[in-house]
Amino acid sequence: MKDLLLTVMTVSLGTGIVNLLAPEGKMKKQITFVTALVLCAALFAPLVKQMGRELSFDFSLPSSAPVDSDEAKETILRLTADALCRQLEDEVSYRFAVTSPSLTLTLDGHDPSAVTIVSGHLKGVGEVEAAAAYLTALLRCSVTAEAIVQEESHG
């Protein structure tokens, strides 16, 4: 109660000083309105705080179940590998001007805490061998290359 009284007195004094210093006219009306809102907030804050304690809503989300099934683990592993392949295909296309790159990665997911890339195979048109050498160094595993030869159309 003592804290409430002290807070209301301090806020009232502050808002009174602000109202005295405010310039006359339309601006003074706006400042008076805002300071009245601040005073109301100071009055109702302890009440809202007390109501929050009494109601005590639990807004926590239920914890998600851990992934236990092998099928779920394989799905997560496959989706991760697919996303990694798409990103590396974009990189190879940009760095080595390989068109239509297709990267396949073989993963070892026996230990879920440390998925390992075992090997890779890159297909595409262009500097596929150089791109495969780059991926071998980047991924620290063997990446084979298969250059696709485009037939020239005669017309």
Side-chain angles (χ1 to χ4, degrees):
M1 186 67 174
K2 183 178 176 183
D3 291 337
L4 174 63
L5 187 59
L6 184 62
T7 302
V8 170
M9 288 178 59
T10 305
V11 171
S12 297
L13 183 63
T15 56
I17 291 172
V18 169
N19 283 332
L20 284 174
L21 296 175
E24 291 296 325
K26 198 171 189 181
M27 181 68 104
K28 185 167 184 125
K29 287 181 181 180
Q30 292 173 349
I31 291 174
T32 303
F33 177 71
V34 170
T35 56
L37 287 176
V38 170
L39 185 59
C40 287
L43 284 170
F44 289 113
L47 180 63
V48 171
K49 195 176 193 181
Q50 183 63 31
M51 285 178 60
R53 271 191 237 140
E54 290 174 3
L55 297 176
S56 68
F57 290 109
D58 183 17
F59 291 106
S60 62
L61 297 173
S63 63
S64 60
V67 178
D68 287 333
S69 73
D70 290 337
E71 183 180 338
K73 289 178 185 176
E74 287 175 19
T75 302
I76 291 170
L77 191 63
R78 182 179 43 81
L79 291 173
T80 303
D82 290 348
L84 180 61
C85 286
R86 282 192 303 276
Q87 189 173 9
L88 290 173
E89 288 168 354
D90 289 345
E91 179 76 14
V92 162
S93 180
Y94 174 75
R95 282 184 181 252
F96 298 96
V98 173
T99 55
S100 304
S102 174
L103 179 64
T104 306
L105 295 176
T106 305
L107 303 177
D108 178 12
H110 288 95
D111 181 8
S113 64
V115 176
T116 307
I117 301 172
V118 178
S119 64
H121 184 74
L122 177 66
K123 284 193 237 181
V125 178
E127 296 294 321
V128 181
E129 291 82 14
Y134 168 75
L135 290 175
T136 296
L138 180 69
L139 300 174
R140 297 182 182 152
C141 71
S142 174
V143 177
T144 56
E146 182 181 338
I148 300 173
V149 180
Q150 284 186 331
E151 296 180 20
E152 293 182 26
S153 62
H154 298 286

